[in-house]
């Protein structure tokens, strides 16, 4: 048995924060942010709006596009690094808010690779026949873990959610997945602080060595794409759409070049969203499905990379 993505959905919070808005908060400029990252604006969740709320709206839109009822969903996985609370999982909160009573629900934490990790796990759980219809959601509110006085990080991220519906299928949809981790590289991108017994230890905001992350991302993204292509007996020439994690246009361009995929075949949404971590790939997928670029039968190469360090790829026949 195989698995197939049959529908997508996404949600971006209403509030838009432009580069010019940011230049009033920290010492930066639209020109610096655009030339270094390609980002022009990002969305910011409202007070009281939780990661689970973003996830629920994205999932509701994906479900509507799938034609399935929420009660048909028997597996619900949320990839997030910014859960509503330490526990229960955001997936359990989403299950309740959606009314997905028949679903087993859990979270995956692999930072910006979380969606690809979740898709890989769900592919196994559905293709073995144990589950039939899954919701895989990436949802993040990074605006709450950023230091808004640190111009080297706060300009790069945004909030949002994307979702896909994965079902059992007689024909191949998800063709191959490959995941990697290297915990020895955890210091280049992390949130070092935490709260214990009500006391904050360290800094509970995103820390990043931008240049080290840039080099690592460019090194590993094309390689893991080639691994999944080889598993499916394909080459980069077979790719109709490259849908990479949306961190930075320069990382995306360098990955496309290294892999040999033309810019016209690469989906880029980071300009208006910033880096939405685990939400970025399903947000980009939904954009390209709804604007008619990704069509049935297309070969779609997704690739994620993020803190941990983690990276992975899922090769999909749409
Ligand atoms: N506005 C203006 N100046 C800034 C800003 C800012 N927002 N941020 C940093 N600067 C300054 C620095 O202080 C430095 O000044 P100095 O030379 O006086 O010391 C100068 O700009 C250059 O800083 P660098 O860090 O060398 O800039 P670089 O060209 O490397 O670009 C960037 C920084 C954009 C972070 C780049 O390294 C990058 O793209 N890294 C990848 C990071 C990324 O995408 N992370 C996303 C999370 S990871 C993931 O999703 C995989």
């Amino acid at each position: 048995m195989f698995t197939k993505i049959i529908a997508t959905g996404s949600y971006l919070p209403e509030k838009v924060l432009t580069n010019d808005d940011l230049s009033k908060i920290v010492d930066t400029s639209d020109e610096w942010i655009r030339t270094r990252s390609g980002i022009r604006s990002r969305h910011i969740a409202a007070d009281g709006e939780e990661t689970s709320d973003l996830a629920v709206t994205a999932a509701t839109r994906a479900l509507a596009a799938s034609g399935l009822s929420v009660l048909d969903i028997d597996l619900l996985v949320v990839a997030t690094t910014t859960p509503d609370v330490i526990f229960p999982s955001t997936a359990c909160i989403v299950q309740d808010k959606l009314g997905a009573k028949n679903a087993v629900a859990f979270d995956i934490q692999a930072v910006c690779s979380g969606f690809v990790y979740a898709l890989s796990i769900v592919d196994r759980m559905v293709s073995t026949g144990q589950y039939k219809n899954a919701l895989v959601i990436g949802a993040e509110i990074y605006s709450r873990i950023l230091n808004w006085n640190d111009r080297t990080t706060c300009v790069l991220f945004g909030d949002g959610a994307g979702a896909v519906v994965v079902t059992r299928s007689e024909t191949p949809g998800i063709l191959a997945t490959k995941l990697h981790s290297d915990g020895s590289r955890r210091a280049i991108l992390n949130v070092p602080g935490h709260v214990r017994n009500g006391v904050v230890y360290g800094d509970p905001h995103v820390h990043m060595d931008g240049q080290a992350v840039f080099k690592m991302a460019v090194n590993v993204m094309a390689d893991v794409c080639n691994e999944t292509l080889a598993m499916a007996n394909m080459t980069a020439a077979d790719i109709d759409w490259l849908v990479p994690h949306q961190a930075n246009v320069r990382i995306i361009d360098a990955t496309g070049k290294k892999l040999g995929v033309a810019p016209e075949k690469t989906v880029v949404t980071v300009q208006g969203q910033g880096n939405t971590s685990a939400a970025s790939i399903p947000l980009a997928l939904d954009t390209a499905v709804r604007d008619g670029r990704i069509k049935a039968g297309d070969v779609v190469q997704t690739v994620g990379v993020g803190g941990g360090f983690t990276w992975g790829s899922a090769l999909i026949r749409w």
Side-chain angles (χ1 to χ4, degrees):
M1 270 183 276
F2 301 102
T3 62
K4 211 169 181 62
I5 295 178
I6 60 162
T8 62
S10 63
Y11 171 73
L12 292 164
E14 206 178 305
K15 182 180 170 189
V16 173
L17 188 71
T18 65
N19 292 347
D20 285 336
D21 295 333
L22 271 169
S23 69
K24 292 173 193 130
I25 303 171
V26 284
D27 181 14
T28 191
S29 66
D30 175 54
E31 203 266 335
W32 193 97
I33 301 169
R34 260 190 306 104
T35 52
R36 297 301 213 287
S37 71
I39 299 166
R40 292 193 301 261
S41 60
R42 70 288 291 144
H43 293 251
I44 304 292
D47 288 344
E49 198 173 29
E50 298 297 340
T51 297
S52 61
D53 298 318
L54 275 54
V56 164
T57 306
T60 302
R61 291 174 180 170
L63 269 175
S66 75
L68 294 178
S69 139
V70 71
L71 296 177
D72 294 327
I73 299 298
D74 53 10
L75 181 60
L76 192 164
V77 182
V78 175
T80 187
T81 315
T82 49
D84 290 15
V85 288
I86 289 179
F87 73 82
S89 67
T90 302
C92 279
I93 301 170
V94 171
Q95 182 216 29
D96 180 47
K97 287 182 178 175
L98 271 178
K101 291 189 172 66
N102 299 321
V104 168
F106 61 90
D107 285 1
I108 291 291
Q109 212 275 42
V111 199
C112 305
S113 311
F115 179 77
V116 174
Y117 268 59
L119 202 56
S120 176
I121 291 160
V122 164
D123 175 46
R124 300 303 189 282
M125 293 177 76
V126 173
S127 64
T128 51
Q130 201 180 358
Y131 297 90
K132 192 158 185 250
N133 300 308
L135 262 171
V136 186
I137 307 168
E140 301 278 16
I141 301 186
Y142 261 60
S143 59
R144 294 189 190 143
I145 58 166
L146 294 171
N147 176 352
W148 289 97
N149 296 314
D150 176 9
R151 66 178 182 173
T152 68
T153 51
C154 76
V155 303
L156 298 173
F157 295 88
D159 304 336
V164 301
V165 178
V166 176
T167 65
R168 215 184 289 160
S169 156
E170 282 172 13
T171 52
I174 297 175
L175 302 172
T177 66
K178 182 75 190 168
L179 307 176
H180 290 278
S181 313
D182 180 358
S184 74
R185 306 280 286 161
R186 65 190 183 280
I188 64 174
L189 179 59
N190 63 11
V191 175
H194 56 265
V195 180
R196 291 286 181 271
N197 293 329
V199 179
V200 180
Y201 295 91
D203 181 5
H205 299 107
V206 173
H207 282 234
M208 182 178 70
D209 176 344
Q211 289 182 4
V213 168
F214 192 98
K215 278 185 207 142
M216 180 90 189
V218 171
N219 265 331
V220 298
M221 284 170 90
D223 289 354
V224 73
C225 287
N226 281 320
E227 284 184 276
T228 48
L229 286 166
M231 287 162 78
N233 290 316
M234 289 184 173
T235 68
D238 294 307
I239 297 173
D240 293 300
W241 296 105
L242 175 63
V243 184
H245 169 50
Q246 308 285 316
N248 181 312
V249 284
R250 293 188 302 145
I251 294 176
I252 294 171
D253 287 350
T255 301
K257 247 186 216 134
K258 201 170 167 207
L259 190 58
V261 174
E264 309 83 72
K265 290 184 165 190
T266 304
V267 178
V268 186
T269 54
V270 70
Q271 306 94 323
Q273 298 174 7
N275 181 347
T276 58
S277 190
S280 93
I281 292 174
L283 268 162
L285 284 173
D286 188 48
T287 301
V289 166
R290 285 177 193 262
D291 69 19
R293 275 180 287 176
I294 296 179
K295 293 180 292 298
D298 283 353
V299 173
V300 178
Q301 173 79 79
T302 63
V303 56
V305 59
F309 225 74
T310 59
W311 64 104
S313 155
L315 184 68
I316 304 156
R317 166 88 61 192
W318 212 260

